[in-house]
Amino acid sequence: MLQRSTIQLLRFHFSFFLLPVYLFALSQVPAIQVAHALLIFFILHGLVYPASNGYNSYMDRDEGSIGGLKNPLQPTRQLFRVSVVMDLAAVGLSLLVSYLFAACIIAYILASRAYSYRGIRLKQYPVIGYLTVVIFQGAATFFMVYHGSSVSKTVEVPLTGMAAASLLIGGFYPLTQIYQHEADRKDGVRTISAALGYRGTFIFTAIVYSLAMGLLAYLFFSKEEQTKFLVLATCMLPILVYFFKWAGGVWKDENVADFTHTMRMNMLASVCTNIAFLVLLTWNLFE
């Protein structure tokens, strides 16, 4: 029987924060193979992401708040075993999509392990750790979903979409680390947020997010889909309002860069972005 700590630390609910990239990629596929699209959703959000969360928690053994959990339980050996089984299941199911998709899943899993494994620990390096996350959770995931969900299993995946996906992840990822500076320091980890500082994190986020929106504008305008971009931008407007309000609070008092405000930012950004890309996906399906 699965232990309570194992179920908690797999953090299935945290996969919701990574759903926008899946929906974004799927919304750009000209002809979707529905069965494979649904299978890919399960592989990523039901297996790969939770297994990655679990393995990271097994390596970190956090005592303070982590993404999606204010009071995490301590992991056991069972969590490690379950994460391995889930990874193997993900690879096995990926072969039903395509060999290339399976290879991408394996690459994602290896990168995730290298990020957390104590013997390599990419997360301890601010730039390398940051790039690992934004490339694999952004561009690589966009490629996997686009390729695997397409009827033709195309490898001609739009580079603009891949870059925009990475920038969207890269824009908000530092904010997820902003309340953990002290805990990370004690663990020998220097995140990109810690390297930038509190104010620097917000400035960096604003720059990268602006680049993401600019690239999305180029993507949609180049296809003469200006209305779709306006819908996307409107859905994301609440994110900007909260972001600048929170940034103003942190400018006055750095203690406002805490777990509660971070989770509110994550949830708002995820809800708005998911709605935006879900609207675009539905729009494309009925065109």
Side-chain angles (χ1 to χ4, degrees):
M1 181 178 291
L2 290 180
Q3 298 170 358
R4 180 166 169 259
S5 62
T6 297
I7 297 173
Q8 184 203 55
L9 295 174
L10 288 172
R11 290 184 282 165
F12 285 97
H13 63 285
F14 196 75
S15 295
F16 179 75
F17 298 144
L18 299 177
L19 182 57
V21 175
Y22 171 85
L23 293 175
F24 175 32
L26 200 61
S27 72
Q28 301 305 298
V29 179
I32 299 173
Q33 187 166 341
V34 177
H36 282 176
L38 293 174
L39 179 59
I40 290 169
F41 173 83
F42 174 72
I43 291 170
L44 289 174
H45 295 85
L47 296 172
V48 174
Y49 293 157
S52 178
N53 294 335
Y55 186 83
N56 186 63
S57 289
Y58 181 75
M59 285 292 151
D60 287 359
R61 299 185 177 276
D62 298 286
E63 296 181 355
S65 301
I66 57 176
L69 292 176
K70 188 171 185 178
N71 299 300
L73 299 172
Q74 283 301 296
T76 66
R77 187 68 178 175
Q78 184 190 71
L79 179 62
F80 171 76
R81 296 193 186 100
V82 169
S83 70
V84 172
V85 170
M86 292 173 75
D87 281 339
L88 292 174
V91 173
L93 289 174
S94 295
L95 293 170
L96 298 176
V97 178
S98 78
Y99 290 126
L100 178 56
F101 180 81
C104 290
I105 287 293
I106 292 172
Y108 185 103
I109 292 170
L110 291 176
S112 173
R113 296 299 177 266
Y115 182 80
S116 303
Y117 175 56
R118 290 282 174 179
I120 301 175
R121 201 72 166 162
L122 294 180
K123 70 185 300 181
Q124 69 182 304
Y125 308 110
V127 177
I128 295 175
Y130 173 76
L131 291 177
T132 300
V133 170
V134 301
I135 289 172
F136 282 93
Q137 290 186 356
T141 298
F142 185 97
F143 179 89
M144 284 191 284
V145 176
Y146 193 103
H147 160 75
S149 299
S150 64
V151 172
S152 63
K153 295 296 176 283
T154 181
V155 294
E156 296 181 359
V157 180
L159 294 177
T160 304
M162 292 172 60
S166 278
L167 288 172
L168 285 172
I169 293 292
F172 282 101
Y173 184 66
L175 287 178
T176 68
Q177 305 168 320
I178 199 167
Y179 67 95
Q180 292 180 304
H181 291 182
E182 183 61 25
D184 286 331
R185 185 188 63 78
K186 291 179 180 178
D187 193 34
V189 172
R190 190 164 187 251
T191 62
I192 189 72
S193 177
L196 292 167
Y198 291 108
R199 294 187 178 186
T201 296
F202 280 93
I203 294 171
F204 181 79
T205 293
I207 293 172
V208 177
Y209 188 73
S210 296
L211 291 173
M213 293 304 294
L215 208 52
L216 287 170
Y218 172 77
L219 176 65
F220 286 103
F221 276 69
S222 65
K223 296 189 295 183
E224 297 185 355
E225 295 179 336
Q226 294 90 332
T227 304
K228 290 182 180 179
F229 176 74
L230 291 176
V231 170
L232 178 70
T234 301
C235 289
M236 293 184 174
L237 187 58
I239 301 173
L240 298 179
V241 173
Y242 184 86
F243 173 82
F244 285 111
K245 181 179 179 181
W246 184 24
V250 172
W251 242 253
K252 297 176 182 177
D253 180 7
E254 292 183 346
N255 290 321
V256 179
D258 56 14
F259 175 81
T260 300
H261 285 87
T262 301
M263 288 304 103
R264 286 176 183 168
M265 180 80 255
N266 280 0
M267 181 58 68
L268 180 63
S270 299
V271 168
C272 292
T273 312
N274 279 325
I275 289 174
F277 288 127
L278 186 59
V279 169
L280 294 183
L281 174 60
T282 306
W283 190 335
N284 290 344
L285 290 175
F286 284 95
E287 277 188 333

